[in-house]
Amino acid sequence: MAGPNPASTRQHVRYQPDERPPLPMTAGLGLQYALICIASIILTPTVMITVAGGSAEYLSWAVFAALVVSGITTAIQARRVRRIGAGYILVMGSTSAFLAVSVSALEQGGPGMLATLIIASALVQFVLAARMALLRRIFTPTVAGTVLILIPVTLAPMIVRKLGEVPVDASAAAGPVTAAVTLLVMILIPLRFTGALRLWAPAIGIIAGGLTASLGFGIYDFTTVREAAWIGLPDLAHPGVDFSFRPEFWALLPSFIMVTLVGAMDTLGDSIAIQRVSWRRPRAIDFRSIQGAISADGVGNLLSGLAGTVPNTTYGMSVSVAELTGVASRAIGISVGAVFVALAFLPKFVTLIVAMPGPVVAAYFVVIVALIFVFGMRILLQDGLDHRKGLIVGVAFWIGFAFQLDWIYPEYWQGAWGELLGNGMTVGGFAVILLTLFGEVTRGRRRRLKTRLTAETWPEVDAFLVRFAARKGWGGDMELRLRAVGEETMQILTRGDGEGAAGGEGATGEDRAAGVERRLLLLASADGNAADLEFIATTDQTNLEDQLTMLTEVAGNVPVDAETPLRLLRHYASSIRHQQYHDIDILTIRVEGSG
């Protein structure tokens, strides 16, 4: 049997999600991820509560709860409990996207109303995850890639501010030199080394920057570190939940829902990106994993609301560090979660990280956002940037960029709306969704066929495709292509069906056990001289895109009886996309005309 094509594999992936690295590496990388993310987790509730004028006791509790909730949900993302969790390293932490609306909620209704609004946001995320297949035309790789390339734009002002965070009496060279040392170490180590040393490049860079700041320029302030306790618990100042549903609640709820949708898009992008970098051999995107990631997001918001702290979301830096280190084992995610929970009880250690000089933090984020931008572009290119998608991405990116820099009539956007629309990822994300929806609405009418999914219904599907080709005025060659694609697709979908059986070898285990009749919805639409077909059904657990990849790269991995339909389908179809959701599979096939 031939081996995999080296050009199609990612040889630098040392540990895939289903592989377990040695315990010292697992613990070390878990600590490294935690150290990288902990400042963001702590600073977000700190900014929210101090700006809104909250008490010190509430702040102490919110920071503690944020760490614990982040630890629990990070472990859930990695471990995947039933349908909740991605099954990949997706570090969860406090999200700054909710800052503006959360401050307004605290000022207008207090911590109790904020908790209720966050719980309502969690319910929205559960609905999104459960109905993601119905929203597939909105939550697309185009949307995810656009959101990812806008993350660096959104973080750019913070990076610039961090670069200048040095004491007024410090040397003028303190900031630039400290940032340069951190950045060079983080870049040069992975460029020069491919072994175990590469795994520690981010941590070594941060340590080198910290030593430069402390020993070289004296800008690392250890005062707060010395005053913090080694082990401790916060005051139990839980704010409770306000279910009075006052007018202020209903006024703020739409804003919370909008930000929740943006957070879901962020999670969508992170989920796709982490799947891309976690396996040696490229795999088709598993949308069930994305559903699980968004559900885990919902669990995080639910726990955050019940605990009275700021909402959380996935961190894109998870993808960057996995790419940088080449380690994507689920065990790392569980280790990160355990470290977060442990750090919640170690105030001195937390303070040591939070007190890291701004230039060190800024240099680290330069590397992170650079990799995030590349991931976003990679997703966009892999999804195919035709003239429509290219226009949508370009316009949405520049709209987000312009709003982030207050270039678009800033005098008209004031107050809470001004804060919300000042986030480039929010505005750009909604722009790409609206433009995508416009493209869908203005497309020609889709023809549809609903029928049973059995080998006996092939003549019904064939007749439907013949009528569709006739309505579009296509010649015999295009009709032949459509019928051939329909025949091979039906043969693949009904593989293993018994004579007149509702299920079979091609059905899911649950369907076979329950004797459930499988149904098929076929949608057909025209795009110029091309046809787009969607076969929506319940199939087996094998992804057709992966089967086609194996057919190309590894002879013998695809069963012989399945090879012929796959080869013929690949011959007649110009593109094939298989989206697997819980309880539903969608095959999108494009057939190009010869003219």
Side-chain angles (χ1 to χ4, degrees), residues 331-397:
I332 305 298
I334 298 173
S335 175
V336 177
V339 172
F340 280 154
V341 174
L343 289 177
F345 297 91
L346 302 173
K348 188 179 288 290
F349 191 76
V350 171
T351 307
L352 178 69
I353 305 305
V354 173
M356 189 68 66
V360 177
V361 178
Y364 165 76
F365 273 102
V366 167
V367 176
I368 296 300
V369 299
L371 291 174
I372 289 175
F373 183 86
V374 172
F375 293 144
M377 288 304 302
R378 186 181 298 169
I379 289 171
L380 291 171
L381 293 173
Q382 289 175 339
D383 189 49
L385 274 180
D386 57 22
H387 69 281
R388 293 190 184 92
K389 291 179 182 177
L391 179 62
I392 289 173
V393 172
V395 170
F397 176 83

Side-chain angles (χ1 to χ4, degrees), residues 43 94 221 249 307 361 368 588:
L43 289 177
S94 305
D221 185 7
F249 171 86
V361 178
I368 296 300
T588 304

Side-chain angles (χ1 to χ4, degrees), residues 75-82 84-87 286 288-289 582:
I76 290 175
Q77 287 283 20
R79 182 63 180 85
R80 196 171 187 173
V81 182
R82 294 183 179 272
I84 300 176
D286 185 353
R288 293 166 298 184
S289 174
H582 292 302

Side-chain angles (χ1 to χ4, degrees), residues 7 59 77 83 85 111 127 129 165 184-185 234 270 279 306 354 370 389 454 457 495 506 523 542:
L59 173 59
Q77 287 283 20
R83 293 187 175 184
V127 172
E165 282 187 4
L184 286 173
V185 171
D270 292 341
W279 302 97
L306 294 174
V354 173
K389 291 179 182 177
T454 69
T457 56
R495 185 187 306 146
L523 303 176
T542 304

Side-chain angles (χ1 to χ4, degrees), residues 43-97:
L43 289 177
T44 302
T46 300
V47 171
M48 178 188 75
I49 294 170
T50 53
V51 170
S55 66
E57 291 78 12
Y58 176 40
L59 173 59
S60 178
W61 167 262
V63 170
F64 171 81
L67 280 168
V68 173
V69 171
S70 297
I72 293 172
T73 50
T74 298
I76 290 175
Q77 287 283 20
R79 182 63 180 85
R80 196 171 187 173
V81 182
R82 294 183 179 272
R83 293 187 175 184
I84 300 176
Y88 293 89
I89 304 174
L90 281 177
V91 177
M92 300 285 292
S94 305
T95 172
S96 58

